[in-house]
Amino acid sequence: MKTLKLFLLAALLSFCGNVAASAQDVQPYFTTEQLPDLIKCLPPPPSFDSPEFASDMMRYVWGKQQRLNTDRAEIARRDAVWSYEALLAEFSVPVGVVISAENTPEIWKLMVTSLSTTDQMRVAPKAYYLRQRPFERYEDKMLTDEEDDLRGEGSYPSGHTMRGWTAALLLAEVAPDKANEIFARGWMYGESRVIVGAHWQSDVDASRVAASIGYAALQGSPEFRMQMEKAKVEYLLKKEIR
């Protein structure tokens, strides 16, 4: 029975792979104009004289304390790398399968196309609110060397957190048996932005909601649904081979 199941999965994956191999450059499932407007969906960030910001300040102190944990600090540094390769290398651990263009082309295509779609949503609110980042407000040093790249760019919402939580939502659908581990890692991914000093906690909290909005929007794309099914088949095959 297991041999037959493997054969059927391999046959289906082979068909899917042939279709994927003939595709041209990956295009987002939706344009920016077709996606929800986060300026209209989310509340503005807390003002610097609000009770909510008092919580942000306490979490900033918490984040600096976390840097004393060398293992956690190293994870936060890795999470700061802004690339799909780095992101999916981190999530490969909880999924239990190496996610790469070579090893899992269908999962890779799903992730890159989906994230390139939802990544667009963060641009407008960042420019609209231009919220000052923690390291700027306190004239502090970040754990990472991102100051020059991030200075002057809006803090709200957090692009890293939005990308990480979207990745967790997608991969939990691909590999539901690993959902607990995937979501735990996705949560850490957002916390890393507080630890390095790039974002306030309220940026991170809003970004998880933003990711959920983007994930819901993806469901309206037939191309997304088709690719999700291919990714599920590929995961099952990889899981059976392990």
Side-chain angles (χ1 to χ4, degrees):
M1 181 61 71
K2 183 174 182 180
T3 301
L4 177 60
K5 184 179 179 182
L6 280 171
F7 175 78
L8 292 174
L9 285 172
L12 182 55
L13 186 60
S14 176
F15 169 75
C16 293
N18 289 336
V19 174
S22 65
Q24 300 301 313
D25 292 340
V26 173
Q27 297 295 321
Y29 293 118
F30 296 111
T31 65
T32 304
E33 293 71 25
Q34 293 172 319
L35 291 165
D37 183 349
L38 294 182
I39 298 173
K40 297 176 180 178
C41 295
L42 300 177
S47 61
F48 289 130
D49 60 352
S50 67
E52 291 80 8
F53 184 64
S55 175
D56 275 342
M57 290 190 291
M58 288 189 290
R59 288 294 286 177
Y60 179 73
V61 173
W62 168 87
K64 295 195 74 171
Q65 291 173 338
Q66 297 304 301
R67 300 180 194 181
L68 301 177
N69 181 326
T70 55
D71 291 338
R72 186 63 183 93
E74 177 56 29
I75 292 171
R77 289 191 185 93
R78 296 201 310 265
D79 288 348
V81 179
W82 183 253
S83 75
Y84 295 133
E85 289 82 2
L87 173 74
L88 295 176
E90 293 301 319
F91 276 96
S92 293
V93 177
V95 173
V97 171
V98 175
I99 304 172
S100 67
E102 297 75 25
N103 190 55
T104 55
E106 300 298 347
I107 299 175
W108 178 265
K109 182 178 179 182
L110 171 75
M111 299 303 294
V112 171
T113 309
S114 298
L115 294 173
S116 66
T117 301
T118 56
D119 277 351
Q120 303 173 87
M121 297 169 63
R122 79 186 195 281
V123 177
K126 277 183 173 289
Y128 183 79
Y129 293 114
L130 273 180
R131 191 185 194 194
Q132 192 178 37
R133 292 177 181 269
F135 76 89
E136 293 176 295
R137 184 166 184 82
Y138 295 123
E139 297 182 354
D140 207 351
K141 184 80 172 75
M142 291 180 63
L143 177 63
T144 52
D145 296 322
E146 300 174 83
E147 291 95 342
D148 291 342
D149 293 332
L150 298 181
R151 186 172 284 107
E153 183 192 58
S155 184
Y156 182 91
S158 163
H160 279 77
T161 303
M162 188 173 171
R163 180 180 282 188
W165 197 245
T166 302
L169 289 165
L170 292 165
L171 290 170
E173 183 174 353
V174 172
D177 58 316
K178 296 291 186 178
N180 291 337
E181 295 89 340
I182 291 168
F183 282 124
R185 185 63 182 90
W187 194 267
M188 287 182 65
Y189 199 87
E191 286 187 328
S192 289
R193 300 312 285 163
V194 176
I195 292 171
V196 302
H199 284 284
W200 306 104
Q201 182 65 50
S202 55
D203 298 336
V204 170
D205 295 341
S207 298
R208 293 187 182 119
V209 177
S212 299
I213 293 170
Y215 176 73
L218 289 171
Q219 309 305 313
S221 166
E223 292 80 8
F224 166 79
R225 292 307 324 164
M226 288 177 61
Q227 190 59 39
M228 175 60 76
E229 293 309 310
K230 295 177 185 179
K232 289 179 179 179
V233 171
E234 185 174 68
Y235 170 71
L236 288 174
L237 181 59
K238 292 290 183 180
K239 178 184 173 184
E240 290 288 348
I241 293 173
R242 284 204 308 265

